[in-house]
Every structure is written in C-alpha cells, then in structure tokens.
Amino acid sequence: MTIHATLIPGDGIGPSITEATVRLLDAAGADIVWDRQLAGMAAVTAYNDPIPDQTLESIRKTKLALKGPLETPVGKGFRSINVALRKTFDLYANVRPARSVLPGLRFRDVDIVLVRENTEGLYIGIENYVKIGDDEHAAAQSTAVVTRFGAERIHRYAFEFAVQHGRKKVSLVHKANILKYSQGLFLEVGREIAKEYAGQIEVEEKIVDACAMELVMRPERFDVIVTTNLFGDILSDLTSGLVGGLGLTPGANIGKNAAIFEAVHGTAPDIAGKGIANPTAVMLAACQMLDHIGKPELATRVRDAVENTLRDKSVVTGDVGGSATTEQYTDAVIARL
Ligand code: NAD
C-alpha cells in the first residue's frame, strides 16, 4: 500500500541528509509518496513564514512527516519552530532510542529507549520576572505543569511501547522527593499505570540524579525510560553520548493524530554544503516512521543496513571517524540492503 508522508528537508545539512534518506528508502522498495514542504529558514526565504499554512495542512492530511533540522529565525516571535510543531499537533511522546552500534566506544551493550513527555512540565512557557524595588529582573519564575491526563498518556505510551517491542523493564524517572506536587503526581500516575502491566513489564523508580549517575556507570541495565520534559531532554542527550553522539540519534514525536520523525541534531551550519554530513540519524528516524505505520520488516531491513555499515566502519562519515561523503556513505548503506 502506498504511504503518503510529508517531507520537510529543513535547513543547513537538512536537504542533503533527507535526500540521502529518501534515496535509501527508494532503494529498499518503500512505496512512499512524499509531499515536499518547507519550514524553518527555507520557508522564511520562500514565503516569509517559518511554518507556512501549506506545511501544516500537508501534515494534517498525511499525519506523517519526516523532517530535517530547522533553523529558528531569531527575534520573529518563535521560541522554536520544533516546539510550535509539537504544540500544533499535540505530539506528546518524544521517543529517542540509543543503541550501541559503532565499534570502539566505551560501552558496547547500550539499548535504551527514552520516552520523554513532550508537551508539559517546565517547557510550557509560563515564565515571568518579578520586580522588586527598581529592579525589573530582581527574580524570575518558571512554572512546571503536570496534569493527570498528560502523565497518564505518556506512561501508557511507554508501557505499551515496551509490550509491543518486546522490552522487559520500564524505569520511571522523577524528582518527587523534592518537587512533591508536579513530580509527585507524575510518579503517582506512573505507579497506577504500571499496575496494569504487572507480571508483564518490570517497573523500577529512579530519582533523576541517581539515574544520571547510573546511566554513565551501568547503562546496560536500562531498557525503557519514561520521564518528564526537562529531564527527558537532558537524559536523552546523555544516552546519545553513550552510543556515539547526536549524529546517530533519531527521535520520534508522536501524537494521536500525527507523528513527526527527525534527527536529534541541528542544522550543523559549520559543515552545511560540504557534502560530508552524516545522514544516519534521519535514516534511523525513517525506520522509526516505518515501525510506527506498521512496516516493521521494512524498518528492520533498512536499520540493519545502516547499522552494519556503521559496524564495519570502512565507509563512514568524518564525525564518526571516517572520511566518506554523505553520498558515498549512502551508497554503502544501499549496497548492504
Ligand atoms: P548542531 O547539532 O547543528 O551541531 C553541533 C555539532 O555537531 C556541529 O559541530 C555539527 O557539525 C555536528 N553535527 C550535527 N549533526 C551532524 C551530522 N548529521 N553529521 C555530522 N556532524 C553533525 O547544533 P547547533 O550548532 O547547536 O545548532 C545549529 C542550529 O540547529 C541552530 O539554529 C539550532 O536552533 C538548530 N537546531 C535544530 C534542531 C531541530 O530542528 N530538531 C535541533 C537542534 C538544533
């Protein structure tokens, strides 16, 4: 069955790594019709709008997007285009897998999927300064909001993900010992959801600071992690670092009515246009997309080709210790399909 998906090439290295991914998917026989749309600086240049209506309309229609990194124009009223997209489509689950593939790293058996709540917590944007005397900026406050609804759906997503992907354990990561209300509610709801999976999925509770320490000492003991927005943001970069860096890490943003798949890294302006960017993260994001739409065999075939190319390490890009161009690396992956 033909898949219809929106393709947002993005800025900087975005167009070259997304095109490499499209070429790989074509070679794998994925029957995908791409609706190419702009966002970010490319859209500002073309339409003077970083998220044009036609891009949003396309995602509304396809419910599926693969996206390159975007540069948020400074001072145009946006905190971040990515945050705006997550809000528009209520993409509440940010799913970031980190798996040891590259040889020669400190850890060899990392296989962690971090599920981060993507719409609440400290990132909802309720912040203000407090004036004291003449000082307008005498104090600042940020509000963290956790709702039962939001906590329930992210915990349920994590446990369902664990069941569907044959995972054994979910770690509930929190700071309820200090933030008794917001983090306390997140943990309370997590415990309730965990009961529904008793006997099926093992559950453990971890305070975020202890979790960070354990992640760098014994990462192999983690399986699925579920946590709030800020902790998830930080810990998912940490887990990326355990497996070779941001160039290798994909991320899925999942909502009820749409899903957007992307690389975790940015536009890499320092290497844009040089043809040397590593397209792995977008390729693995495309595999997450194939899994999400019920094409696990195809996802596995593409993922195996990418991972075997990295494992072999003879044709890889500069960021992971090789000298191949984006194109040469993509050819090597295609040859392994
Ligand atoms: P970055 O991730 O773009 O770059 C950090 C470093 O990693 C650079 O040295 C870069 O060359 C390298 N790098 C990143 N991806 C690579 C790849 N695929 N292959 C090889 N090397 C790679 O982070 P930054 O420099 O902080 O941000 C640049 C821009 O990207 C900013 O405008 C930022 O707002 C944007 N950004 C967008 C997203 C997104 O759209 N999801 C995420 C993060 C940053």
Side-chain angles (χ1 to χ4, degrees):
M1 215 177 67
T2 303
I3 304 156
H4 292 268
T6 303
L7 183 75
I8 302 173
D11 300 314
I13 60 171
S16 79
I17 57 180
T18 49
E19 273 320 310
T21 304
V22 167
R23 193 153 74 81
L24 170 61
L25 294 175
D26 279 349
D31 186 9
I32 304 178
V33 175
W34 297 103
D35 182 16
R36 286 181 167 72
Q37 296 290 343
L38 298 181
M41 280 314 277
V44 171
T45 307
Y47 307 116
N48 202 25
D49 182 353
I51 319 182
D53 284 345
Q54 57 264 43
T55 302
L56 297 177
E57 204 39 54
S58 171
I59 300 172
R60 249 175 230 121
K61 219 180 285 166
T62 62
K63 303 182 191 318
L64 210 56
L66 182 67
K67 152 187 166 311
L70 303 176
E71 183 185 336
T72 298
V74 178
K76 299 247 172 155
F78 278 96
R79 265 197 309 159
S80 150
I81 301 171
N82 293 308
V83 172
L85 281 172
R86 285 170 203 164
K87 274 195 174 158
T88 304
F89 294 104
D90 194 22
L91 305 174
Y92 66 92
N94 185 208
V95 184
R96 291 184 174 180
R99 207 160 103 85
S100 303
V101 175
L102 265 186
L105 297 179
R106 188 180 306 215
F107 300 107
R108 271 176 304 161
D109 40 15
V110 178
D111 187 3
I112 300 169
V113 177
L114 193 139
V115 178
R116 160 190 171 194
E117 204 293 320
N118 222 7
T119 56
E120 300 191 336
L122 268 170
Y123 285 20
I124 52 167
I126 302 182
E127 292 191 293
N128 62 281
Y129 287 113
V130 179
K131 183 180 174 192
I132 301 175
D134 290 340
D135 187 354
E136 299 275 351
H137 290 186
Q141 50 192 9
S142 307
T143 304
V145 173
V146 170
T147 66
R148 182 172 296 281
F149 170 78
E152 259 176 28
R153 66 178 179 174
I154 197 67
H155 284 298
R156 195 172 299 288
Y157 185 90
F159 279 92
E160 278 303 313
F161 182 97
V163 171
Q164 278 162 24
H165 293 82
R167 299 274 173 163
K168 303 272 180 292
K169 183 168 77 173
V170 174
S171 306
L172 311 183
V173 175
H174 65 90
K175 188 75 186 174
N177 51 328
I178 305 292
L179 301 169
K180 298 202 188 284
Y181 291 78
S182 54
Q183 289 290 319
L185 180 60
F186 186 78
L187 179 60
E188 176 191 315
V189 172
R191 286 175 177 162
E192 281 163 18
I193 302 289
K195 277 189 207 144
E196 296 175 26
Y197 296 86
Q200 205 179 359
I201 300 289
E202 188 193 331
V203 63
E204 69 175 2
E205 296 172 11
K206 286 256 165 244
I207 295 177
V208 64
D209 34 346
C211 176
M213 186 266 297
E214 221 169 309
L215 271 171
V216 294
M217 291 194 71
R218 286 187 301 251
E220 69 285 350
R221 39 166 328 284
F222 288 90
D223 192 344
V224 174
I225 293 175
V226 60
T227 191
T228 48
N229 209 336
L230 174 65
F231 297 158
D233 194 4
I234 297 167
L235 291 182
S236 63
D237 271 28
L238 190 162
T239 55
S240 298
L242 297 173
V243 298
L246 290 179
L248 302 176
T249 318
N253 297 284
I254 314 272
K256 216 168 126 208
N257 299 314
I260 300 181
F261 300 84
E262 62 184 348
V264 168
H265 62 71
T267 59
D270 51 335
I271 57 165
K274 295 186 179 161
I276 56 168
N278 186 352
T280 300
V282 180
M283 289 173 172
L284 295 178
C287 295
Q288 281 186 296
M289 183 176 103
L290 293 172
D291 274 331
H292 179 74
I293 57 171
K295 302 233 171 244
E297 287 104 25
L298 189 55
T300 303
R301 198 167 146 238
V302 175
R303 195 180 283 119
D304 284 351
V306 172
E307 291 186 351
N308 288 333
T309 309
L310 288 172
R311 246 178 232 119
D312 177 61
K313 228 181 160 183
S314 58
V315 188
V316 293
T317 48
D319 57 308
V320 290
S323 58
T325 62
T326 310
E327 212 164 312
Q328 287 164 341
Y329 172 72
T330 307
D331 288 340
V333 175
I334 289 172
R336 281 180 188 270
L337 274 171

